[in-house]
Amino acid sequence: MIKVTNVHKNFKEVKAVNGIDLFIPKGEYAALLGPNGAGKTTLVEMIEGLQHPDSGEIEIMGKGWKDHAEDLHHIIGLSLQETRFIDKLTVLETLKLFASFYGLDKKRILEILELVNLNEKRKSYVVNLSGGQRQRLALGIALLNTPEILLLDEPTTGLDPTARREIWDILMALKTANKTTMILTTHYMDEAAYLCEKIVIMDKGQILAEGTLEQLLSKYKQGEVISFETNGSIRENQLPRNEKIIQSIIDPAGNKGEIIVGDLVSYLPLFLAFIKNQQLALTSLECRKMTLDDLFIAMTGRHLDQ
Ligand SMILES: Nc1ncnc2c1ncn2[C@@H]1O[C@H](COP(=O)(O)OP(=O)(O)OP(=O)(O)O)[C@@H](O)[C@H]1O
Ligand SMILES: [Mg+2]
């Protein structure tokens, strides 16, 4: 459904998208995951036809934006990272306005109100909606035209867990009912893991890794994480080393950090002895299986949300 081939986009000296290849088959949900400035919005906006690549090819169902813009507008539903509505319109009036662009009737508007669970709010002014309700309205607009492809830029950022869950439920229902294809961008690993079979980890305009959650995590098979805080300061190069240590990252202040190890049982005693030798005490210690965030740290030395 979506084929991106060697796409580049620069803003002056910033390489926002720096040679990306992506292939999304029909019915697949894919998540673009990455920190601020990774190039996620730039990439999806190029797929949406809102920005144009400096070089490379983007094809949607075999069609390019240059010659098939009209067709593609009918295939794609999108919501932008920040949606601005007209405050003085109600929910119903807003949907009517967008429905008129596609020549859709009242029946479809009522279906959408039901689908995104805004029936009770149909007479409310958009300005009075909560964050979650606004996001559901934005999703409703994206879905009006029964798009085959959905492109959603951070559809749940800033929402509380319940509101996020509601959006997830709507998206999961669409996948089952319509075999919709979707790319969403997110900072939330649980969102990517729950909704999407393909997870694409981006940083600095490039793809660092992609695959299912299991495939990504199996790259660092049996990786486990020691997450700790101490009452003093240590440096990364003081940590006991053995062949099982995959990656370590210590905060600049030196009093907390994470160590990713291949064999927790053999490493933990070394670590505890080291802390004791330094005449420090641990104020917090947690050992856990690697998550996507840990994977990101292992690949970049940074957290996903920084
Ligand atoms: N119109 C623009 N002019 C100049 N620089 C831009 C423009 N749009 C994006 N950039 C730069 O390109 C890089 C990628 O930005 P982009 O918005 O694609 O990142 P993102 O992954 O969507 O980040 P976020 O998670 O914060 O939304 C950033 O360094 C950004 O400052
Ligand atoms: Mg963005």
Side-chain angles (χ1 to χ4, degrees):
M1 289 295 268
I2 301 172
K3 192 170 162 208
V4 173
T5 314
N6 197 19
V7 162
H8 289 79
K9 176 82 179 174
N10 297 344
F11 297 105
K12 299 214 175 97
E13 69 283 2
V14 178
K15 293 182 171 159
V17 169
N18 189 14
I20 285 208
D21 293 299
L22 195 61
F23 182 78
I24 316 283
K26 183 172 172 58
E28 184 168 89
Y29 275 16
L32 294 182
L33 199 61
N36 293 133
K40 305 180 296 295
T41 295
T42 308
L43 177 61
V44 282
E45 290 193 352
M46 287 192 285
I47 298 171
E48 288 160 353
L50 299 176
Q51 298 200 48
H52 303 290
D54 295 339
S55 62
E57 291 284 324
I58 293 177
E59 276 180 33
I60 294 156
M61 297 172 83
K63 295 172 175 172
W65 277 104
K66 197 158 156 271
D67 300 319
H68 300 278
E70 179 81 1
D71 292 353
L72 292 181
H73 283 301
H74 285 273
I75 298 172
I76 294 177
L78 58 92
S79 77
L80 301 178
Q81 187 162 357
E82 280 174 41
T83 310
R84 298 255 180 274
F85 299 114
I86 303 169
D87 288 346
K88 290 190 176 137
L89 291 185
T90 65
V91 168
L92 187 61
E93 288 164 345
T94 304
L95 284 171
K96 273 186 183 162
L97 176 68
F98 282 92
S100 72
F101 298 158
Y102 298 111
L104 298 170
D105 58 13
K106 183 89 186 269
K107 185 168 155 276
R108 182 62 185 152
I109 296 172
L110 297 178
E111 280 171 12
I112 290 289
L113 278 173
E114 224 28 78
L115 184 67
V116 298
N117 196 14
L118 282 175
N119 225 342
E120 278 173 26
K121 290 283 170 188
R122 67 187 183 281
K123 292 191 178 141
S124 301
Y125 286 108
V126 167
V127 68
N128 295 329
L129 295 180
S130 72
Q133 291 161 348
R134 293 174 76 90
Q135 298 279 48
R136 275 186 278 142
L137 178 57
L139 184 57
I141 290 167
L143 296 176
L144 265 172
N145 197 26
T146 327
E148 291 185 62
I149 297 176
L150 260 186
L151 300 167
L152 307 177
D153 200 354
E154 297 195 23
T156 67
T157 294
L159 301 187
D160 67 41
T162 317
R164 289 176 66 206
R165 193 75 210 193
E166 282 173 358
I167 300 234
W168 291 4
D169 290 344
I170 297 166
L171 294 175
M172 281 315 242
L174 272 178
K175 188 181 169 76
T176 319
N178 299 0
K179 300 251 181 316
T180 310
T181 306
M182 177 179 76
I183 298 180
L184 67 73
T185 76
T186 183
H187 292 264
Y188 302 121
M189 288 138 301
D190 55 344
E191 179 160 295
Y194 180 77
L195 287 175
C196 299
E197 48 266 66
K198 183 181 283 169
I199 295 172
V200 180
I201 299 182
M202 279 185 71
D203 190 30
K204 299 185 178 146
Q206 295 186 315
I207 292 177
L208 296 183
E210 69 175 276
T212 63
L213 182 64
E214 292 72 31
Q215 285 166 347
L216 291 174
L217 292 177
S218 73
K219 263 184 94 169
Y220 293 94
K221 239 191 187 126
Q222 287 146 16
E224 284 173 291
V225 182
I226 301 169
S227 180
F228 67 92
E229 290 182 34
T230 71
N231 60 353
S233 177
I234 57 175
R235 287 194 314 276
E236 205 155 335
N237 60 8
Q238 295 176 307
L239 286 173
R241 297 272 150 192
N242 71 2
E243 74 282 2
K244 305 288 186 192
I245 191 163
I246 294 172
Q247 173 81 269
S248 56
I249 172 167
I250 310 286
D251 272 27
N255 64 341
K256 62 179 182 179
E258 276 162 8
I259 309 167
I260 302 174
V261 293
D263 183 353
L264 180 69
V265 174
S266 72
Y267 191 78
L268 193 59
L270 293 177
F271 178 67
L272 295 176
F274 160 74
I275 293 290
K276 198 170 169 200
N277 282 342
Q278 299 289 311
Q279 289 170 348
L280 297 173
L282 290 169
T283 53
S284 153
L285 178 71
E286 185 197 318
C287 300
R288 59 169 190 272
K289 285 250 177 282
M290 264 181 95
T291 64
L292 269 182
D293 191 34
D294 300 316
L295 181 73
F296 189 80
I297 296 169
M299 287 189 293
T300 67
R302 287 180 296 126
H303 281 279
L304 248 175
D305 54 5
Q306 282 171 0

